[in-house]
Coordinates of all heavy atoms in Angstrom, one line a residue:
T173 N 115.0 192.5 -83.0 CA 114.3 191.7 -84.0 C 114.1 192.6 -85.3 O 113.8 193.7 -85.3 CB 112.9 191.3 -83.5 OG1 113.1 190.6 -82.3 CG2 112.2 190.4 -84.5
L174 N 114.3 191.9 -86.4 CA 114.0 192.5 -87.7 C 112.7 191.8 -88.2 O 112.5 190.6 -88.1 CB 115.1 192.1 -88.8 CG 116.4 192.8 -88.6 CD1 117.4 192.1 -89.5 CD2 116.3 194.3 -88.9
H175 N 111.7 192.7 -88.6 CA 110.5 192.2 -89.1 C 110.3 192.5 -90.6 O 110.6 193.6 -91.0 CB 109.3 192.8 -88.4 CG 109.3 192.5 -86.9 ND1 108.7 191.3 -86.5 CD2 109.7 193.1 -85.8 CE1 108.8 191.2 -85.2 NE2 109.4 192.3 -84.7
G176 N 109.9 191.5 -91.4 CA 109.8 191.7 -92.8 C 108.5 192.4 -93.1 O 107.6 192.6 -92.2
A177 N 108.4 192.9 -94.3 CA 107.2 193.6 -94.7 C 106.9 193.1 -96.1 O 107.8 192.7 -96.9 CB 107.4 195.1 -94.8
E178 N 105.6 193.0 -96.5 CA 105.2 192.6 -97.9 C 105.8 193.6 -98.8 O 105.7 194.8 -98.6 CB 103.7 192.5 -98.0 CG 103.1 191.4 -97.1 CD 101.6 191.4 -97.2 OE1 101.0 192.0 -98.1 OE2 101.1 190.7 -96.4
A179 N 106.5 193.1 -99.8 CA 107.1 194.0 -100.8 C 107.1 193.4 -102.2 O 107.0 192.2 -102.3 CB 108.5 194.3 -100.4
F180 N 107.2 194.3 -103.2 CA 107.3 193.8 -104.6 C 106.2 192.9 -105.0 O 106.5 191.9 -105.7 CB 108.7 193.2 -104.8 CG 109.8 194.0 -104.2 CD1 110.6 193.6 -103.1 CD2 110.1 195.3 -104.8 CE1 111.6 194.4 -102.6 CE2 111.2 196.1 -104.3 CZ 111.9 195.6 -103.2
G181 N 105.0 193.1 -104.6 CA 103.9 192.4 -105.1 C 103.7 191.0 -104.5 O 103.1 190.1 -105.0
T182 N 104.4 190.8 -103.3 CA 104.3 189.5 -102.6 C 103.3 189.6 -101.5 O 102.8 190.7 -101.1 CB 105.6 189.1 -102.0 OG1 105.9 189.9 -101.0 CG2 106.7 189.1 -103.0
D183 N 102.8 188.4 -101.0 CA 101.9 188.4 -99.9 C 102.6 187.8 -98.7 O 102.0 187.4 -97.7 CB 100.6 187.6 -100.2 CG 100.9 186.2 -100.6 OD1 102.1 185.8 -100.7 OD2 99.9 185.5 -100.8
A184 N 103.9 187.7 -98.7 CA 104.7 187.2 -97.6 C 105.7 188.2 -97.2 O 106.2 189.0 -98.0 CB 105.4 185.9 -98.0
P185 N 106.0 188.3 -95.9 CA 107.0 189.3 -95.4 C 108.4 189.0 -96.0 O 108.8 187.9 -96.1 CB 106.9 189.3 -93.9 CG 106.3 188.0 -93.6 CD 105.5 187.6 -94.8
A186 N 109.1 190.1 -96.3 CA 110.5 189.9 -96.7 C 111.4 190.9 -96.1 O 110.9 192.0 -95.7 CB 110.6 190.1 -98.2
L187 N 112.6 190.6 -95.9 CA 113.7 191.5 -95.4 C 114.6 191.8 -96.6 O 115.0 190.9 -97.3 CB 114.5 191.0 -94.3 CG 113.7 190.8 -93.0 CD1 114.6 190.0 -92.0 CD2 113.4 192.2 -92.4
C188 N 115.0 193.0 -96.8 CA 115.9 193.3 -97.9 C 117.3 193.7 -97.3 O 117.5 194.4 -96.3 CB 115.4 194.6 -98.6 SG 113.9 194.3 -99.5
F189 N 118.3 193.1 -97.9 CA 119.7 193.3 -97.5 C 120.5 193.7 -98.8 O 120.3 193.1 -99.8 CB 120.4 192.0 -96.9 CG 119.8 191.6 -95.6 CD1 118.7 190.7 -95.5 CD2 120.2 192.2 -94.4 CE1 118.2 190.4 -94.3 CE2 119.7 191.9 -93.2 CZ 118.6 190.9 -93.1
S190 N 121.4 194.7 -98.7 CA 122.2 195.1 -99.8 C 123.5 194.5 -99.7 O 124.1 194.5 -98.6 CB 122.3 196.6 -99.8 OG 121.1 197.2 -100.0
E191 N 124.0 193.9 -100.8 CA 125.4 193.4 -100.8 C 126.3 194.5 -101.4 O 126.5 194.5 -102.6 CB 125.5 192.1 -101.7 CG 124.8 191.0 -101.1 CD 124.9 189.7 -101.9 OE1 124.5 189.8 -103.1 OE2 125.5 188.7 -101.4
V192 N 126.7 195.4 -100.6 CA 127.5 196.5 -101.1 C 128.8 196.6 -100.3 O 128.8 196.3 -99.1 CB 126.8 197.9 -101.1 CG1 125.6 197.9 -102.0 CG2 126.3 198.2 -99.7
T193 N 129.8 197.1 -101.0 CA 131.1 197.3 -100.3 C 131.0 198.6 -99.4 O 130.1 199.4 -99.5 CB 132.2 197.5 -101.3 OG1 132.0 198.7 -102.0 CG2 132.4 196.3 -102.2
E194 N 132.0 198.7 -98.5 CA 132.0 199.9 -97.7 C 132.0 201.2 -98.5 O 131.4 202.2 -98.3 CB 133.2 199.9 -96.7 CG 133.1 201.0 -95.7 CD 134.2 200.9 -94.7 OE1 134.7 199.8 -94.4 OE2 134.6 201.9 -94.1
E195 N 132.8 201.2 -99.6 CA 132.9 202.3 -100.5 C 131.6 202.6 -101.2 O 131.2 203.7 -101.3 CB 134.0 202.1 -101.5 CG 134.3 203.3 -102.4 CD 135.5 203.2 -103.2 OE1 136.5 202.5 -102.9 OE2 135.5 203.9 -104.3
A196 N 130.9 201.5 -101.6 CA 129.6 201.7 -102.2 C 128.6 202.3 -101.2 O 127.8 203.1 -101.6 CB 129.1 200.4 -102.8
R197 N 128.6 201.8 -100.0 CA 127.7 202.4 -99.0 C 128.0 203.9 -98.8 O 127.1 204.7 -98.8 CB 127.9 201.7 -97.6 CG 127.3 200.4 -97.5 CD 127.2 199.9 -96.1 NE 128.5 199.8 -95.4 CZ 129.3 198.8 -95.3 NH1 129.0 197.7 -96.0 NH2 130.4 198.8 -94.6
R198 N 129.3 204.3 -98.8 CA 129.6 205.7 -98.7 C 129.0 206.5 -99.9 O 128.5 207.6 -99.7 CB 131.1 206.0 -98.6 CG 131.6 205.7 -97.3 CD 133.1 206.2 -97.1 NE 133.8 205.3 -96.3 CZ 134.8 204.5 -96.7 NH1 135.3 204.6 -97.9 NH2 135.4 203.7 -95.9
A199 N 129.1 205.9 -101.1 CA 128.6 206.6 -102.3 C 127.1 206.7 -102.2 O 126.5 207.7 -102.6 CB 129.1 205.8 -103.5
M200 N 126.4 205.7 -101.7 CA 124.9 205.7 -101.6 C 124.5 206.8 -100.7 O 123.5 207.5 -100.9 CB 124.4 204.4 -101.1 CG 124.6 203.3 -102.2 SD 124.3 201.6 -101.5 CE 122.5 201.6 -101.4
L201 N 125.3 207.0 -99.6 CA 124.9 208.1 -98.7 C 125.3 209.5 -99.2 O 124.6 210.4 -99.0 CB 125.7 207.8 -97.3 CG 125.3 206.6 -96.6 CD1 126.3 206.4 -95.4 CD2 123.9 206.6 -96.1
R202 N 126.4 209.6 -99.9 CA 126.9 210.8 -100.3 C 126.2 211.3 -101.7 O 125.8 212.4 -101.8 CB 128.4 210.7 -100.6 CG 129.1 212.0 -101.0 CD 130.6 211.8 -101.4 NE 130.7 210.8 -102.5 CZ 131.4 209.6 -102.4 NH1 131.9 209.3 -101.3 NH2 131.4 208.9 -103.4
D203 N 126.2 210.4 -102.6 CA 125.7 210.7 -104.0 C 124.4 210.1 -104.3 O 123.7 210.6 -105.2 CB 126.7 210.3 -105.0 CG 128.1 210.8 -104.8 OD1 128.3 211.9 -104.3 OD2 129.1 210.0 -105.0
G204 N 124.0 209.0 -103.7 CA 122.8 208.3 -104.1 C 123.0 207.5 -105.3 O 124.0 207.5 -105.9
V205 N 121.9 206.8 -105.6 CA 121.9 205.9 -106.8 C 120.5 206.0 -107.4 O 119.5 205.7 -106.7 CB 122.2 204.4 -106.5 CG1 123.7 204.3 -106.2 CG2 121.4 203.9 -105.3
G206 N 120.4 206.5 -108.6 CA 119.1 206.6 -109.2 C 118.1 207.5 -108.6 O 117.9 208.6 -109.1
R207 N 117.5 207.1 -107.5 CA 116.4 207.9 -106.9 C 116.9 208.9 -105.9 O 116.1 209.7 -105.4 CB 115.5 206.9 -106.1 CG 114.8 206.0 -107.0 CD 113.8 205.1 -106.2 NE 114.6 204.2 -105.4 CZ 114.1 203.2 -104.7 NH1 112.8 203.1 -104.5 NH2 114.9 202.3 -104.1
G208 N 118.2 209.0 -105.6 CA 118.7 210.0 -104.7 C 119.5 209.3 -103.6 O 119.8 208.1 -103.6
R209 N 119.9 210.2 -102.6 CA 120.8 209.7 -101.5 C 120.0 208.9 -100.5 O 118.9 209.1 -100.2 CB 121.4 210.9 -100.8 CG 122.4 211.6 -101.6 CD 123.1 212.7 -100.9 NE 122.2 213.4 -100.0 CZ 122.6 214.3 -99.2 NH1 123.8 214.7 -99.2 NH2 121.7 215.0 -98.4
Y210 N 120.7 207.9 -99.9 CA 120.1 207.1 -98.8 C 120.4 207.9 -97.5 O 121.4 208.6 -97.4 CB 120.8 205.8 -98.7 CG 120.3 204.7 -99.7 CD1 120.4 204.9 -101.0 CD2 119.6 203.6 -99.2 CE1 119.9 204.0 -101.9 CE2 119.0 202.7 -100.1 CZ 119.2 202.9 -101.4 OH 118.7 202.0 -102.3
E211 N 119.5 207.7 -96.6 CA 119.7 208.3 -95.3 C 120.6 207.4 -94.5 O 120.7 206.2 -94.7 CB 118.3 208.5 -94.5 CG 117.5 209.5 -95.3 CD 116.3 209.9 -94.4 OE1 116.5 210.2 -93.2 OE2 115.2 210.0 -94.9
P212 N 121.4 208.0 -93.5 CA 122.5 207.3 -92.8 C 122.0 206.4 -91.7 O 122.6 206.3 -90.7 CB 123.4 208.4 -92.3 CG 122.4 209.5 -92.0 CD 121.4 209.4 -93.1
W213 N 120.9 205.7 -91.9 CA 120.4 204.8 -90.9 C 120.3 203.4 -91.5 O 119.5 203.1 -92.3 CB 119.0 205.2 -90.4 CG 119.0 206.7 -90.0 CD1 118.5 207.7 -90.6 CD2 119.6 207.2 -88.8 NE1 118.8 208.9 -90.0 CE2 119.5 208.6 -88.8 CE3 120.3 206.7 -87.7 CZ2 120.0 209.4 -87.8 CZ3 120.8 207.5 -86.8 CH2 120.6 208.9 -86.8
S214 N 121.1 202.5 -90.9 CA 121.1 201.1 -91.4 C 121.7 200.2 -90.4 O 122.3 200.6 -89.4 CB 121.9 201.0 -92.7 OG 123.3 201.4 -92.5
L215 N 121.5 198.9 -90.6 CA 122.1 197.9 -89.8 C 123.0 197.1 -90.6 O 122.7 196.7 -91.7 CB 121.0 197.0 -89.3 CG 121.2 196.0 -88.1 CD1 121.7 196.8 -86.9 CD2 120.0 195.2 -87.9
V216 N 124.3 197.0 -90.2 CA 125.3 196.2 -91.0 C 125.5 194.9 -90.2 O 125.9 194.9 -89.1 CB 126.6 197.0 -91.1 CG1 127.7 196.2 -91.9 CG2 126.4 198.4 -91.8
L217 N 125.3 193.8 -90.9 CA 125.4 192.5 -90.3 C 126.5 191.7 -91.0 O 126.6 191.8 -92.2 CB 124.1 191.8 -90.4 CG 122.9 192.5 -89.8 CD1 121.6 191.8 -90.3 CD2 123.0 192.5 -88.3
H218 N 127.2 190.9 -90.2 CA 128.2 190.0 -90.8 C 127.5 188.9 -91.6 O 126.6 188.3 -91.1 CB 129.1 189.5 -89.8 CG 130.0 190.5 -89.1 ND1 131.1 191.0 -89.7 CD2 129.8 191.1 -88.0 CE1 131.7 191.9 -89.0 NE2 130.9 192.0 -87.9
R219 N 127.9 188.7 -92.8 CA 127.3 187.7 -93.7 C 127.2 186.3 -93.0 O 126.2 185.7 -93.0 CB 128.0 187.6 -95.0 CG 127.5 186.5 -96.0 CD 128.4 186.4 -97.2 NE 128.3 187.6 -98.0 CZ 127.4 187.9 -98.9 NH1 126.5 187.0 -99.2 NH2 127.5 189.0 -99.6
R220 N 128.4 185.9 -92.5 CA 128.5 184.6 -91.9 C 127.5 184.4 -90.7 O 126.9 183.4 -90.6 CB 129.9 184.3 -91.5 CG 130.1 182.8 -91.1 CD 131.6 182.5 -90.8 NE 132.5 182.8 -92.0 CZ 132.7 182.0 -93.0 NH1 132.0 180.8 -93.1 NH2 133.5 182.3 -94.0

């Protein structure tokens, strides 16, 4: 089960999903974006 958490000033739980390509995921892990590198722990789900 995935459980949402209140985020971004809301009072309802939300789940965040990134729409990134495989190459972009590699870059996020290797180089980071803005705030730094992402840790290699994630769940990849088929959109459909």
